[in-house]
Amino acid sequence: QIWMLRILKTQSIPALARQAACSFATVNHTIEQEKDPELVPGGVHDTSAPTITDIKRMFTDHNYRVDFPQGLSNEEKRKLKRFDIFRYDPQDPNDKPHFVSYYIDMDQCGPMYLDVLIKIKDEIDPTLSFRRSCREGICGSCSMNLDGRHDLACIRHVPREPKGPSKIYPLAFMQVMKDLVSDMTFFYSQYKTIDPWLKRKNPKPEGTKEYFQSQEDRAKIDGLYECVLCNCCSTVCPSYWWHNDTYLGSAILQQAYRWVIDSRDEYTEERLERYGGDFKLQECYNLGLCSRNCPKLLDPRAAIQDLKHMYEEYLDRRTMKSNTIAFQLKDSSYCAFVKKKK
């Protein structure tokens, strides 16, 4: 909406309407023709250009804000903390994305954002939907956008100073199931593709119950196993926004690295082959937004860089091995030719 407002400031409404009319009519007509080749303008599907009123409605029908009826006066509202919460139900055809404002007395509420959401649902508006479980930052259920930053609502403090309202959104670039509940189905399916379990080629020695490893090898997975799969890091990554069909994202690749460096796993090269080839490991451009937004203070950026280096070393070994085999074959063929000639 920001860039559209800039256009409105620099161009007159009639000129903007003419440009929008041409683009909207062309795009709509093309899309509908792909659905029905015999479709003509003015038929069942209306492909007429939008009016100035339609263009203005782009700004008024979406992301608007309403106060929830709490029976408060303006004077009472000024003394309370305001929370603007994203509300949207995709199952309701008449509902559109908007914000609902709730006024909370922080002296009568817990200090975390999750405390505020629970208070609103229990005492003010039971229709509000969000996920929660542990309330200790170990399950990752309550991940959402809190005042512009992805975080876990159960461990993020509400700012006490009354400077403006706090805004709560679902995770960015995720399908919304309802209100603050994001659809994590695709994310979990991506997690499944890395085979997040120990894979062995040699069976466990008879009489042993565990796969032993040294303290040094065990220390390598510190800072990796603590990930709670909240998806706060992946959803701030531009590469994941653009290529989430082929790029796994920082959360999944960090977990992939955790299994690659585990000394008990025996499928290291097979994992590297998949991560570097099928899942486009090179799509990570080292921006570091993932590490900046991790609520568990982990460093996915560093893990992905180490994984990329391991993949490059694996490619070098594979190339050297292929060259060696090719030389051996060539040498054996030459020896056989000389022997036959003699």
Side-chain angles (χ1 to χ4, degrees), residues 222-236:
D222 286 338
L224 301 172
Y225 76 89
E226 298 94 335
C227 175
V228 296
L229 297 175
C230 63
N231 205 22
C232 286
C233 58
S234 293
T235 48
V236 298

Side-chain angles (χ1 to χ4, degrees), residues 144-156:
M144 56 189 71
N145 188 304
L146 306 171
D147 285 331
R149 181 169 181 172
H150 290 187
D151 211 332
L152 298 177
C154 61
I155 59 175
R156 175 78 178 271

